[in-house]
Amino acid sequence: GFNVVRLLDLVSKIKIKQDIKNCVAVTFDDGFKDNYELAFPLLVKYNVPATIFVTTGNIGKGDTISRDDIKTMLQGGLIDFMPHTVSHIVLSSVQPDWAQKEISDSQKEIEGVTGREATVFAYPKGKHNDSLKEYLKDNGWGAAVSVIEGTVDSNSDLFALNRNSI
């Protein structure tokens, strides 16, 4: 009974205070290889859009997706890729300049690989603070997601959107 929408569309709806009561967005964190090998075929089969937040320093290493995987997933038009820092460091535990570099460098990498603008950020482990939220707002980001369990509505904080783990 839910309407599965792109995370970018959900963010747009929240910005204009549109009703999102029956909307759900699918997201994945870190960019593990199973996103490509297991989830991607199912997302295509059922025509479900999703956003994958990628830790960019790990692209192509160990059990993570490669640049080629990302480019293949982009072709179908269902998958968006967004930044999740370079090293998956908890941003609220480091100096602001380091946190900002992690954010901006991961954004540049995602945009370089995808050729698309990256405007939604995922805080590693969901940890954030007011200064991180302000940095994102002041630097043109549209939204950020946490890992705080719960739903979102038209009044949700766009820079601390709740998500539910499954």
Side-chain angles (χ1 to χ4, degrees), residues 15-29:
K15 283 182 180 178
I16 62 171
K17 305 289 186 192
Q18 189 173 354
D19 180 28
I20 58 170
K21 183 171 57 174
N22 290 322
C23 294
V24 63
V26 176
T27 63
F28 298 86
D29 282 2

Side-chain angles (χ1 to χ4, degrees), residues 7-166:
L7 179 60
L8 290 170
D9 293 340
L10 185 65
V11 167
S12 294
K13 289 174 185 287
I14 293 169
K15 283 182 180 178
I16 62 171
K17 305 289 186 192
Q18 189 173 354
D19 180 28
I20 58 170
K21 183 171 57 174
N22 290 322
C23 294
V24 63
V26 176
T27 63
F28 298 86
D29 282 2
D30 305 325
F32 289 115
K33 190 74 167 177
D34 62 3
N35 297 170
Y36 176 70
E37 294 173 341
L38 302 175
F40 180 57
L42 293 171
L43 295 168
V44 169
K45 178 178 179 179
Y46 295 105
N47 197 36
V48 173
T51 300
I52 300 175
F53 291 99
V54 180
T55 304
T56 58
N58 293 336
I59 294 174
K61 297 178 183 173
D63 63 349
T64 62
I65 56 176
S66 67
R67 284 174 176 73
D68 288 341
D69 297 338
I70 291 171
K71 290 177 181 177
T72 298
M73 288 192 276
L74 283 171
Q75 291 174 1
L78 283 175
I79 311 300
D80 293 315
F81 292 90
M82 296 290 161
H84 192 43
T85 70
V86 174
S87 66
H88 204 271
I89 191 160
V90 174
L91 297 174
S92 59
S93 70
V94 298
Q95 293 296 317
D97 58 336
W98 185 2
Q100 293 166 10
K101 183 169 175 36
E102 283 276 331
I103 293 167
S104 64
D105 287 356
S106 67
Q107 181 184 36
K108 288 175 193 164
E109 179 69 15
I110 287 295
E111 291 178 343
V113 172
T114 65
R116 298 178 183 178
E117 189 176 29
T119 59
V120 181
F121 184 74
Y123 303 107
K125 303 196 184 297
K127 306 282 186 186
H128 61 281
N129 56 34
D130 288 340
S131 68
L132 289 168
K133 289 167 45 173
E134 287 305 313
Y135 171 78
L136 293 171
K137 288 178 193 177
D138 292 346
N139 286 278
W141 291 83
V145 297
S146 71
V147 294
I148 298 169
E149 296 279 332
T151 59
V152 297
D153 60 36
S154 60
N155 295 311
S156 292
D157 180 349
L158 281 167
F159 292 89
L161 293 173
N162 295 341
R163 293 191 288 171
N164 292 296
S165 299
I166 53 172

